[in-house]
Amino acid sequence: MNNKQLFTVIVFSENTVGLLNQITVIFTRRQLNIETLSVSPSAIPGIHKFTITTFVDRDMIDKVVKQIDKRVDILKAYYHTDEDLVYQEIALYKLSAELFTGMNEVEALIRKYNARVLDVNSDYIVLEKSGHYEETQALFDELKQCIGKGVLQFIRSGRIAVTKSRIERLSDMLAAVEDKIQRK
Amino acid sequence: MIFALISEGVDTIFGYPGGQVIPLYDSLYDYGQDIRHILVRHEQGATHAAQGYARVSGKVGVALVTSGPGATNTITGIADAMMDSTPIVVISGQVPSPLLGTDAFQEIDVIGITQPITKWAYQIRKPEEIAWAVSRAFYIASTGRPGPVVLDFTKDAQVGTLDYKYSKVTHIRSYQPAPEPEPASIAAAADIINNAMRPLALVGQGVILGGAERELKLFLEKADIPAASTMLGLSAMPSGYRLNKGMLGMHGNVGPNRKTNECDVLIAIGMRFDDRVTGNPEFYARQAKIIHFDIDLSEIGKNIPADIAVPGDVKETLPAVTALLKPAVHTEWISKFEPDEQEEYDKVIAPMLNPPADAPLNMGEVVHRVAQAAGKDAVLVTDVGQNQMMGVRYFRYDCTRSVVTSGGLGTMGFGLPAAIGAKFGAPERTVCLFVGDGGLQMTVQELGTIMQEHTNVKIILLNNRFLGMVRQWQELFFNKRYSATTMENPNFTAIAEAYNIKSRSASTRAELSEAIAEMFALDEAFLLAVEVATDSMVYPMVPAGAAISNIIMGDDNNE
């Protein structure tokens, strides 16, 4: 049972106040850390999508997701392992203009990591890189090693993900619910 | 708000006014003929009374309190209702919406506090939301697996005006009250039961909440399956029923607890495998195939893995399985409960009901005698502790919805206000409360509610001058070190007298008989203060963390 791995929980909810709290207390009560969290409106108007990652064993994630799914304002909650998903994170790096441009291999570095330059001025340069955690971390590590304090700020978003499955479960579920209501 | 409550069929509210609900109370003043308001003496009492009302009537109980401390005082009752799936709606006042978040006088984040312990919690900030929110609240509280709902009602929304229009909620797209029955799992369950040699059914409160008592009976009888209840499932089957083998769990009956680990098919119906029912799950029914009927998908596999899950409302799923059952006879298997029953009778029950004449009164005999005198349709209400275990073990149940007790949360102080609520929920039935000296003093102020409302509840105080259940654990597991469990008690009959409630004390069998007769002859509230043995224990007992079949039968014969 004690086989912890990274699971990605995807939750579709109504857009009501206090939903995040309802979800996070379910993790807190079981002493689970949320590694990353991303919330935004989904493709369907009025429905919000939460993408949450957590290290946990399969038995526990199954119970946690059932508890989330049970909440009245939650439409549906699913959990996935990395193999089920195409996923991405985005990172921003604010770098000292002086130290960064003083590096020898700026072009090579940007090419190697496929990073984008978002802003440049005499004080700082902002790079953007999207990728898996290890990839955004690798660029950070290399910058830190090369220019140290020249890395002025670093921020990484929570994971966002789409499923590889060909079945779009939420729209199917909503259709079934609508159908049931019609039949009544 | 008052119109909305009337539209939902509310006729009784338990509440306590305060600054932020004065406008609502002002409206209530004009509708006294439609809604009866019961003024409790503490907001915790309002929630427990609403619970008692809901548990016996099957309707949604309603509590109305003010903001801040009024709301925080309801937390215990809300949590209790959540654990025990009791439909209540708690309406709390709130400061005017422009003041929210400013630490205004008597402002507290009620939604934030109650979200983890409610099925739904919503803050009404505009009058236009009232009809929608109230209708949704009652729909959510009463459907599916029932539970508590909190409506936090800002003062400005209370005083706003609008043209009132009410429409009842009949569905919420993000909420499925009961999963659709699955034909495949129903067939699989029937197949396993048809091949069972030693089936045992575990009956939970889900049967009562689903109104499926008759469906249960037909199911059990067709396949001749012995059954036992969880504490909250008690009264789903009458006490004397041939297939009723008693209560499960820590202080349950020996037969079903032992047979749990001997049966070949265990059929759980609307119950959640609480740890007080299972003992150590590592040693729980490992030999049996487990079928789990439940309306709440998150319960299936939560504590005990199920071989076959039958999701859905038992009112639908039980008859569906019954239709596929072959009539069976399990006479030999059922007869195997008899030695266990006999052993329990000889070692535990008989000594309790037939004590030596000079022995002090014990809780079991008091409950037994009261139950005999209380009549067939009596409702049992208990507090928590030894009084509760003795109450549920020695009372008799003839009809459903006859037990009101705090199961999951185990709330001391629950009994007295819950009994008041139960009497309002079933005015034609006799309500008997068994309460200890500890629990009574936790909510003793509700005697004032009884005085004011002339609520006819029969309060039987089992006074052993100890916090008896903790004392029992200290005796068995903590080397008789009675830390903080002795009680120096007041004169309880004098307290009753101060509240203008008739009372008697009894410390001998003769006094007890007279007092019981007097109590039931009177058509009003009564406090019967019984002095019981200080050192008595509740047996049988399965120690916490032990296998469910590892039963202590008495002081010196551990199995």
Side-chain angles (χ1 to χ4, degrees), chain A:
Chain A
M1 285 294 193
N2 204 5
N3 277 324
K4 289 195 177 178
Q5 57 171 316
L6 190 70
F7 281 96
T8 302
V9 177
I10 297 180
V11 182
F12 294 94
S13 80
E14 299 290 359
N15 182 19
T16 49
V17 178
L19 254 171
L20 180 59
N21 186 37
Q22 294 189 46
I23 294 171
T24 53
V25 293
I26 292 170
F27 287 85
T28 319
R29 189 172 165 192
R30 292 162 181 81
Q31 290 219 319
L32 299 175
N33 265 339
I34 290 177
E35 300 293 329
T36 72
L37 168 69
S38 166
V39 191
S40 67
S42 75
I44 304 165
I47 294 180
H48 266 55
K49 185 170 177 175
F50 295 69
T51 309
I52 302 164
T53 60
T54 183
F55 275 103
V56 62
D57 65 54
R58 189 172 281 275
D59 184 54
M60 179 64 91
I61 197 68
D62 192 60
K63 289 174 184 174
V64 163
V65 167
K66 280 178 175 173
Q67 292 295 335
I68 296 173
D69 202 29
K70 179 170 152 178
R71 300 300 306 179
V72 166
D73 292 318
I74 303 290
L75 284 151
K76 204 65 206 167
Y78 304 101
Y79 64 92
H80 303 276
T81 53
D82 287 355
E83 301 85 73
D84 304 336
L85 300 169
V86 177
Y87 57 95
Q88 196 72 309
E89 289 170 2
I90 187 166
L92 299 178
Y93 311 74
K94 179 177 171 183
L95 310 167
S96 151
E98 186 191 344
L99 293 174
F100 184 59
T101 52
M103 280 172 66
N104 287 332
E105 310 269 326
V106 169
E107 184 196 345
L109 186 83
I110 289 183
R111 282 185 187 284
K112 178 176 162 194
Y113 286 99
N114 201 17
R116 289 209 299 156
V117 178
L118 291 184
D119 192 10
V120 181
N121 59 40
S122 55
D123 293 328
Y124 61 82
I125 289 159
V126 178
L127 296 186
E128 174 209 297
K129 163 150 187 66
S130 55
H132 288 180
Y133 178 89
E134 302 74 28
E135 296 168 325
T136 55
Q137 185 66 31
L139 174 56
F140 173 77
D141 289 344
E142 188 159 345
L143 286 166
K144 199 77 193 166
Q145 198 189 347
C146 294
I147 57 173
K149 284 180 185 165
V151 181
L152 303 173
Q153 289 182 36
F154 170 64
I155 180 70
R156 179 162 41 220
S157 74
R159 168 182 287 198
I160 55 171
V162 290
T163 55
K164 290 178 180 171
S165 157
R166 293 192 179 165
I167 305 162
E168 298 307 325
R169 292 196 282 188
L170 182 74
S171 30
D172 291 354
M173 190 214 91
L174 280 178
V177 169
E178 292 296 330
D179 184 50
K180 199 172 148 191
I181 292 164
Q182 293 301 322
R183 274 187 283 126
K184 277 185 184 169

